[in-house]
Amino acid sequence: MERLMESSAGLHGRSVLTLQEWTPNEIKQVLTTAAWLKANPKVAQIRYALAGQSVALLFELPSTRTRVSFQVAVESLGAAPVVLGWEDSQLGRGEPIKDTARVLSRYVDGIVIRCRRHETLQEFSRWASVPVFNALTDRIHPFQALADALTLWEHKRHLAGLKLAYVGDGNNMAHSYVVVGAKLGMHVVVASPAAYAPDPTLVQWAEKEALLTGGSVQVVEDPREAVAGADAVATDVFVSMGQVDQEAKRLSLGPYQVNADLMTRAKPDALFLHCLPAHRGEEVTEEVLEGPQSAVFDQAENRLWVQKAALLHSLGE
Ligand code: CP
Ligand code: NVA
């Protein structure tokens, strides 16, 4: 525990916004701590690491995994979670983000926030004076990226050099893989139709970042090209929370379904990844989701461990 915290000096007080602001070594430190916590779940000192602290959990959008895993993570480190629905708070009646951020910062030691628009998170973090943890925006889902990196490491025992193919909507999960993959020296290929491609400015940033880590980032339209020889194949829902153009989007993403045929293009031991919730029969077939290559429940579990690790580093003594 002492050794753990010794090496986390640079992470104390840090927010997790997109992970673009984290160095590869900082990300690896959180992943190492997460793996250690998972292997040593009952270490007594950890249970009191954040004793006396409080962490607010503020959600503008629905959640099962993020809400429960953050609440359990906070409690299991000895801190008190304060769970707030957006509409139950004065935000629902129009209180400005900047006022809410400053008020909550006077009460709690950290704030976990899920919001519809990334700009809301940026505004919130600009005004908060305690660490802010991004629990998903329409741009990026950094804790899912960390959990998925831990899952890949558990199954493959290394990360640098792995090829990860993301197939489908160029959404917050596509962005998450692009960022974490570039940071960790992975080869990320995103296959999306042009109308739903990931943000080119983020891709350009990641291409440059990957030059420093030996990784690469590529965007293509053909899912078969993306998946060829991949170590992992990931996808996500065609229509994310809060999106409106549902039918047009479902139609143009139809050919991007991950099915058994597409999986045969990847390596025989390739993992299938999905952050969940999944829509069986749309972005993935039941056969793949429930098949032997699927690691989706490891991903879900690992949310807990990476979040405990990040909270410990950021809010611990
Ligand atoms: N993967 C994920 O973030 O799930 P929830 O929306 O249930 O939190
Ligand atoms: N892209 C999905 C991820 C859900 C965890 C969404 O934003 O709804």
Side-chain angles (χ1 to χ4, degrees), residues 28-61:
K28 286 179 203 162
Q29 177 65 58
V30 170
L31 294 177
T32 304
T33 302
W36 185 87
L37 290 170
K38 190 173 180 178
N40 299 278
K42 296 242 180 313
V43 176
Q45 283 163 297
I46 297 291
R47 268 187 270 142
Y48 307 104
L50 303 186
Q53 299 199 39
S54 304
V55 177
L57 277 69
L58 181 56
F59 284 81
E60 188 181 15
L61 292 164

mmCIF file of all heavy atoms in Angstrom, residues 28-61:
data_model
loop_
_atom_site.group_PDB
_atom_site.id
_atom_site.type_symbol
_atom_site.label_atom_id
_atom_site.label_comp_id
_atom_site.label_asym_id
_atom_site.label_seq_id
_atom_site.Cartn_x
_atom_site.Cartn_y
_atom_site.Cartn_z
ATOM 1 N N LYS A 28 -0.801 3.743 -17.219
ATOM 2 C CA LYS A 28 -0.299 2.405 -16.834
ATOM 3 C C LYS A 28 -0.288 2.262 -15.322
ATOM 4 O O LYS A 28 -0.532 1.174 -14.783
ATOM 5 C CB LYS A 28 1.104 2.185 -17.409
ATOM 6 C CG LYS A 28 1.088 1.922 -18.901
ATOM 7 C CD LYS A 28 2.502 1.740 -19.424
ATOM 8 C CE LYS A 28 2.565 2.037 -20.913
ATOM 9 N NZ LYS A 28 3.924 2.289 -21.391
ATOM 10 N N GLN A 29 0.023 3.361 -14.618
ATOM 11 C CA GLN A 29 0.025 3.310 -13.152
ATOM 12 C C GLN A 29 -1.364 2.969 -12.619
ATOM 13 O O GLN A 29 -1.528 2.144 -11.718
ATOM 14 C CB GLN A 29 0.492 4.660 -12.600
ATOM 15 C CG GLN A 29 0.470 4.759 -11.084
ATOM 16 C CD GLN A 29 1.449 3.797 -10.435
ATOM 17 O OE1 GLN A 29 2.634 3.845 -10.695
ATOM 18 N NE2 GLN A 29 0.935 2.898 -9.606
ATOM 19 N N VAL A 30 -2.391 3.591 -13.192
ATOM 20 C CA VAL A 30 -3.762 3.294 -12.750
ATOM 21 C C VAL A 30 -4.120 1.842 -13.077
ATOM 22 O O VAL A 30 -4.722 1.138 -12.254
ATOM 23 C CB VAL A 30 -4.766 4.276 -13.394
ATOM 24 C CG1 VAL A 30 -6.200 3.834 -13.157
ATOM 25 C CG2 VAL A 30 -4.571 5.673 -12.814
ATOM 26 N N LEU A 31 -3.715 1.376 -14.250
ATOM 27 C CA LEU A 31 -4.027 -0.010 -14.629
ATOM 28 C C LEU A 31 -3.293 -0.993 -13.708
ATOM 29 O O LEU A 31 -3.857 -2.022 -13.304
ATOM 30 C CB LEU A 31 -3.640 -0.262 -16.089
ATOM 31 C CG LEU A 31 -4.445 0.519 -17.133
ATOM 32 C CD1 LEU A 31 -3.913 0.244 -18.541
ATOM 33 C CD2 LEU A 31 -5.937 0.172 -17.063
ATOM 34 N N THR A 32 -2.054 -0.666 -13.366
ATOM 35 C CA THR A 32 -1.283 -1.543 -12.463
ATOM 36 C C THR A 32 -1.949 -1.597 -11.098
ATOM 37 O O THR A 32 -2.104 -2.667 -10.497
ATOM 38 C CB THR A 32 0.165 -1.007 -12.330
ATOM 39 O OG1 THR A 32 0.711 -0.918 -13.619
ATOM 40 C CG2 THR A 32 1.022 -1.906 -11.460
ATOM 41 N N THR A 33 -2.359 -0.445 -10.608
ATOM 42 C CA THR A 33 -3.037 -0.407 -9.312
ATOM 43 C C THR A 33 -4.348 -1.182 -9.375
ATOM 44 O O THR A 33 -4.690 -1.929 -8.453
ATOM 45 C CB THR A 33 -3.305 1.055 -8.889
ATOM 46 O OG1 THR A 33 -2.058 1.736 -8.851
ATOM 47 C CG2 THR A 33 -3.978 1.137 -7.531
ATOM 48 N N ALA A 34 -5.073 -1.024 -10.479
ATOM 49 C CA ALA A 34 -6.354 -1.724 -10.622
ATOM 50 C C ALA A 34 -6.140 -3.237 -10.584
ATOM 51 O O ALA A 34 -6.877 -3.969 -9.905
ATOM 52 C CB ALA A 34 -7.031 -1.310 -11.928
ATOM 53 N N ALA A 35 -5.113 -3.703 -11.294
ATOM 54 C CA ALA A 35 -4.833 -5.152 -11.309
ATOM 55 C C ALA A 35 -4.449 -5.622 -9.911
ATOM 56 O O ALA A 35 -4.846 -6.710 -9.465
ATOM 57 C CB ALA A 35 -3.720 -5.456 -12.311
ATOM 58 N N TRP A 36 -3.690 -4.786 -9.200
ATOM 59 C CA TRP A 36 -3.267 -5.133 -7.842
ATOM 60 C C TRP A 36 -4.476 -5.184 -6.897
ATOM 61 O O TRP A 36 -4.621 -6.114 -6.094
ATOM 62 C CB TRP A 36 -2.235 -4.116 -7.351
ATOM 63 C CG TRP A 36 -1.667 -4.469 -6.013
ATOM 64 C CD1 TRP A 36 -0.599 -5.272 -5.758
ATOM 65 C CD2 TRP A 36 -2.159 -4.046 -4.739
ATOM 66 N NE1 TRP A 36 -0.395 -5.375 -4.408
ATOM 67 C CE2 TRP A 36 -1.333 -4.627 -3.770
ATOM 68 C CE3 TRP A 36 -3.213 -3.223 -4.323
ATOM 69 C CZ2 TRP A 36 -1.524 -4.421 -2.393
ATOM 70 C CZ3 TRP A 36 -3.405 -3.022 -2.964
ATOM 71 C CH2 TRP A 36 -2.561 -3.613 -2.015
ATOM 72 N N LEU A 37 -5.345 -4.214 -7.019
ATOM 73 C CA LEU A 37 -6.549 -4.196 -6.167
ATOM 74 C C LEU A 37 -7.421 -5.424 -6.444
ATOM 75 O O LEU A 37 -7.966 -6.034 -5.527
ATOM 76 C CB LEU A 37 -7.371 -2.933 -6.438
ATOM 77 C CG LEU A 37 -6.773 -1.608 -5.964
ATOM 78 C CD1 LEU A 37 -7.581 -0.442 -6.517
ATOM 79 C CD2 LEU A 37 -6.719 -1.545 -4.442
ATOM 80 N N LYS A 38 -7.520 -5.776 -7.719
ATOM 81 C CA LYS A 38 -8.348 -6.934 -8.086
ATOM 82 C C LYS A 38 -7.760 -8.216 -7.503
ATOM 83 O O LYS A 38 -8.499 -9.112 -7.074
ATOM 84 C CB LYS A 38 -8.443 -7.017 -9.615
ATOM 85 C CG LYS A 38 -9.468 -8.017 -10.107
ATOM 86 C CD LYS A 38 -9.640 -7.917 -11.620
ATOM 87 C CE LYS A 38 -10.675 -8.916 -12.113
ATOM 88 N NZ LYS A 38 -10.894 -8.813 -13.564
ATOM 89 N N ALA A 39 -6.415 -8.276 -7.472
ATOM 90 C CA ALA A 39 -5.754 -9.477 -6.938
ATOM 91 C C ALA A 39 -5.738 -9.487 -5.411
ATOM 92 O O ALA A 39 -5.499 -10.532 -4.800
ATOM 93 C CB ALA A 39 -4.323 -9.544 -7.472
ATOM 94 N N ASN A 40 -5.952 -8.344 -4.795
ATOM 95 C CA ASN A 40 -5.891 -8.224 -3.320
ATOM 96 C C ASN A 40 -7.147 -7.515 -2.807
ATOM 97 O O ASN A 40 -7.056 -6.460 -2.155
ATOM 98 C CB ASN A 40 -4.650 -7.410 -2.906
ATOM 99 C CG ASN A 40 -3.371 -8.085 -3.355
ATOM 100 O OD1 ASN A 40 -2.869 -8.984 -2.712
ATOM 101 N ND2 ASN A 40 -2.859 -7.634 -4.492
ATOM 102 N N PRO A 41 -8.316 -8.078 -3.061
ATOM 103 C CA PRO A 41 -9.554 -7.319 -2.793
ATOM 104 C C PRO A 41 -9.811 -7.047 -1.320
ATOM 105 O O PRO A 41 -10.566 -6.140 -0.995
ATOM 106 C CB PRO A 41 -10.653 -8.208 -3.384
ATOM 107 C CG PRO A 41 -10.066 -9.579 -3.409
ATOM 108 C CD PRO A 41 -8.593 -9.414 -3.597
ATOM 109 N N LYS A 42 -9.178 -7.811 -0.442
ATOM 110 C CA LYS A 42 -9.535 -7.676 0.974
ATOM 111 C C LYS A 42 -8.483 -6.928 1.799
ATOM 112 O O LYS A 42 -8.539 -6.946 3.019
ATOM 113 C CB LYS A 42 -9.750 -9.069 1.576
ATOM 114 C CG LYS A 42 -10.929 -9.839 0.969
ATOM 115 C CD LYS A 42 -11.969 -10.132 2.027
ATOM 116 C CE LYS A 42 -13.172 -10.886 1.586
ATOM 117 N NZ LYS A 42 -13.841 -10.469 0.389
ATOM 118 N N VAL A 43 -7.523 -6.285 1.149
ATOM 119 C CA VAL A 43 -6.473 -5.613 1.937
ATOM 120 C C VAL A 43 -7.126 -4.546 2.829
ATOM 121 O O VAL A 43 -7.802 -3.636 2.355
ATOM 122 C CB VAL A 43 -5.416 -4.968 1.014
ATOM 123 C CG1 VAL A 43 -4.403 -4.187 1.838
ATOM 124 C CG2 VAL A 43 -4.704 -6.050 0.221
ATOM 125 N N ALA A 44 -6.910 -4.699 4.147
ATOM 126 C CA ALA A 44 -7.651 -3.894 5.118
ATOM 127 C C ALA A 44 -7.397 -2.401 4.963
ATOM 128 O O ALA A 44 -8.324 -1.599 5.051
ATOM 129 C CB ALA A 44 -7.302 -4.350 6.527
ATOM 130 N N GLN A 45 -6.134 -2.034 4.692
ATOM 131 C CA GLN A 45 -5.829 -0.590 4.632
ATOM 132 C C GLN A 45 -6.649 0.124 3.559
ATOM 133 O O GLN A 45 -7.002 1.284 3.704
ATOM 134 C CB GLN A 45 -4.346 -0.400 4.294
ATOM 135 C CG GLN A 45 -3.424 -0.636 5.436
ATOM 136 C CD GLN A 45 -2.006 -0.839 4.892
ATOM 137 O OE1 GLN A 45 -1.744 -1.775 4.162
ATOM 138 N NE2 GLN A 45 -1.132 0.076 5.241
ATOM 139 N N ILE A 46 -6.912 -0.578 2.485
ATOM 140 C CA ILE A 46 -7.641 0.033 1.380
ATOM 141 C C ILE A 46 -9.053 0.417 1.810
ATOM 142 O O ILE A 46 -9.618 1.385 1.335
ATOM 143 C CB ILE A 46 -7.691 -0.956 0.186
ATOM 144 C CG1 ILE A 46 -6.294 -1.239 -0.337
ATOM 145 C CG2 ILE A 46 -8.581 -0.444 -0.940
ATOM 146 C CD1 ILE A 46 -5.636 -0.071 -1.019
ATOM 147 N N ARG A 47 -9.588 -0.342 2.760
ATOM 148 C CA ARG A 47 -10.979 -0.091 3.166
ATOM 149 C C ARG A 47 -11.146 1.258 3.870
ATOM 150 O O ARG A 47 -12.239 1.762 4.000
ATOM 151 C CB ARG A 47 -11.467 -1.222 4.076
ATOM 152 C CG ARG A 47 -12.142 -2.307 3.272
ATOM 153 C CD ARG A 47 -12.774 -3.323 4.173
ATOM 154 N NE ARG A 47 -11.829 -4.389 4.464
ATOM 155 C CZ ARG A 47 -11.720 -4.984 5.634
ATOM 156 N NH1 ARG A 47 -12.462 -4.602 6.664
ATOM 157 N NH2 ARG A 47 -10.854 -5.959 5.801
ATOM 158 N N TYR A 48 -10.028 1.812 4.347
ATOM 159 C CA TYR A 48 -10.115 3.102 5.049
ATOM 160 C C TYR A 48 -9.367 4.204 4.302
ATOM 161 O O TYR A 48 -9.181 5.295 4.822
ATOM 162 C CB TYR A 48 -9.548 2.942 6.475
ATOM 163 C CG TYR A 48 -10.212 1.795 7.194
ATOM 164 C CD1 TYR A 48 -9.539 0.585 7.367
ATOM 165 C CD2 TYR A 48 -11.524 1.904 7.643
ATOM 166 C CE1 TYR A 48 -10.154 -0.486 7.992
ATOM 167 C CE2 TYR A 48 -12.145 0.828 8.259
ATOM 168 C CZ TYR A 48 -11.460 -0.353 8.436
ATOM 169 O OH TYR A 48 -12.081 -1.413 9.031
ATOM 170 N N ALA A 49 -8.942 3.898 3.075
ATOM 171 C CA ALA A 49 -8.069 4.836 2.347
ATOM 172 C C ALA A 49 -8.705 6.209 2.170
ATOM 173 O O ALA A 49 -8.020 7.223 2.196
ATOM 174 C CB ALA A 49 -7.693 4.252 0.992
ATOM 175 N N LEU A 50 -10.013 6.245 1.974
ATOM 176 C CA LEU A 50 -10.679 7.540 1.761
ATOM 177 C C LEU A 50 -11.666 7.847 2.890
ATOM 178 O O LEU A 50 -12.643 8.582 2.686
ATOM 179 C CB LEU A 50 -11.400 7.549 0.402
ATOM 180 C CG LEU A 50 -10.556 7.255 -0.845
ATOM 181 C CD1 LEU A 50 -11.396 7.454 -2.112
ATOM 182 C CD2 LEU A 50 -9.311 8.137 -0.913
ATOM 183 N N ALA A 51 -11.390 7.291 4.079
ATOM 184 C CA ALA A 51 -12.314 7.503 5.208
ATOM 185 C C ALA A 51 -12.498 8.991 5.477
ATOM 186 O O ALA A 51 -11.541 9.768 5.434
ATOM 187 C CB ALA A 51 -11.764 6.803 6.451
ATOM 188 N N GLY A 52 -13.730 9.375 5.714
ATOM 189 C CA GLY A 52 -14.025 10.775 6.030
ATOM 190 C C GLY A 52 -14.295 11.622 4.788
ATOM 191 O O GLY A 52 -14.679 12.779 4.906
ATOM 192 N N GLN A 53 -14.070 11.067 3.604
ATOM 193 C CA GLN A 53 -14.320 11.845 2.381
ATOM 194 C C GLN A 53 -15.706 11.527 1.811
ATOM 195 O O GLN A 53 -16.331 10.529 2.156
ATOM 196 C CB GLN A 53 -13.249 11.522 1.328
ATOM 197 C CG GLN A 53 -11.843 11.869 1.794
ATOM 198 C CD GLN A 53 -10.861 11.981 0.627
ATOM 199 O OE1 GLN A 53 -11.198 12.493 -0.438
ATOM 200 N NE2 GLN A 53 -9.644 11.518 0.844
ATOM 201 N N SER A 54 -16.162 12.401 0.932
ATOM 202 C CA SER A 54 -17.441 12.188 0.231
ATOM 203 C C SER A 54 -17.216 12.400 -1.264
ATOM 204 O O SER A 54 -16.414 13.255 -1.657
ATOM 205 C CB SER A 54 -18.496 13.207 0.679
ATOM 206 O OG SER A 54 -18.666 13.150 2.061
ATOM 207 N N VAL A 55 -17.928 11.635 -2.062
ATOM 208 C CA VAL A 55 -17.835 11.776 -3.521
ATOM 209 C C VAL A 55 -19.257 11.881 -4.078
ATOM 210 O O VAL A 55 -20.095 11.013 -3.826
ATOM 211 C CB VAL A 55 -17.104 10.566 -4.154
ATOM 212 C CG1 VAL A 55 -17.074 10.694 -5.676
ATOM 213 C CG2 VAL A 55 -15.680 10.435 -3.606
ATOM 214 N N ALA A 56 -19.523 12.948 -4.815
ATOM 215 C CA ALA A 56 -20.850 13.106 -5.439
ATOM 216 C C ALA A 56 -20.885 12.361 -6.769
ATOM 217 O O ALA A 56 -19.906 12.345 -7.515
ATOM 218 C CB ALA A 56 -21.144 14.590 -5.658
ATOM 219 N N LEU A 57 -22.021 11.742 -7.032
ATOM 220 C CA LEU A 57 -22.252 11.047 -8.310
ATOM 221 C C LEU A 57 -23.460 11.700 -8.952
ATOM 222 O O LEU A 57 -24.580 11.565 -8.462
ATOM 223 C CB LEU A 57 -22.538 9.564 -8.070
ATOM 224 C CG LEU A 57 -21.354 8.616 -7.880
ATOM 225 C CD1 LEU A 57 -20.641 8.861 -6.570
ATOM 226 C CD2 LEU A 57 -21.838 7.175 -7.906
ATOM 227 N N LEU A 58 -23.225 12.398 -10.045
ATOM 228 C CA LEU A 58 -24.265 13.221 -10.669
ATOM 229 C C LEU A 58 -24.537 12.711 -12.075
ATOM 230 O O LEU A 58 -23.632 12.688 -12.918
ATOM 231 C CB LEU A 58 -23.739 14.666 -10.700
ATOM 232 C CG LEU A 58 -24.603 15.760 -11.278
ATOM 233 C CD1 LEU A 58 -25.949 15.834 -10.580
ATOM 234 C CD2 LEU A 58 -23.871 17.100 -11.131
ATOM 235 N N PHE A 59 -25.771 12.291 -12.328
ATOM 236 C CA PHE A 59 -26.092 11.643 -13.609
ATOM 237 C C PHE A 59 -27.196 12.382 -14.351
ATOM 238 O O PHE A 59 -28.305 12.504 -13.849
ATOM 239 C CB PHE A 59 -26.529 10.191 -13.378
ATOM 240 C CG PHE A 59 -25.375 9.278 -13.071
ATOM 241 C CD1 PHE A 59 -24.839 9.210 -11.792
ATOM 242 C CD2 PHE A 59 -24.814 8.506 -14.062
ATOM 243 C CE1 PHE A 59 -23.765 8.393 -11.513
ATOM 244 C CE2 PHE A 59 -23.735 7.673 -13.795
ATOM 245 C CZ PHE A 59 -23.206 7.617 -12.519
ATOM 246 N N GLU A 60 -26.881 12.806 -15.581
ATOM 247 C CA GLU A 60 -27.896 13.413 -16.451
ATOM 248 C C GLU A 60 -28.549 12.355 -17.343
ATOM 249 O O GLU A 60 -29.598 12.605 -17.937
ATOM 250 C CB GLU A 60 -27.242 14.491 -17.337
ATOM 251 C CG GLU A 60 -28.234 15.304 -18.125
ATOM 252 C CD GLU A 60 -27.594 16.353 -19.019
ATOM 253 O OE1 GLU A 60 -26.379 16.298 -19.261
ATOM 254 O OE2 GLU A 60 -28.321 17.251 -19.473
ATOM 255 N N LEU A 61 -27.883 11.182 -17.462
ATOM 256 C CA LEU A 61 -28.352 10.120 -18.364
ATOM 257 C C LEU A 61 -28.447 8.817 -17.581
ATOM 258 O O LEU A 61 -27.791 8.669 -16.544
ATOM 259 C CB LEU A 61 -27.346 9.946 -19.515
ATOM 260 C CG LEU A 61 -27.251 11.104 -20.503
ATOM 261 C CD1 LEU A 61 -25.988 10.999 -21.347
ATOM 262 C CD2 LEU A 61 -28.482 11.143 -21.398
#
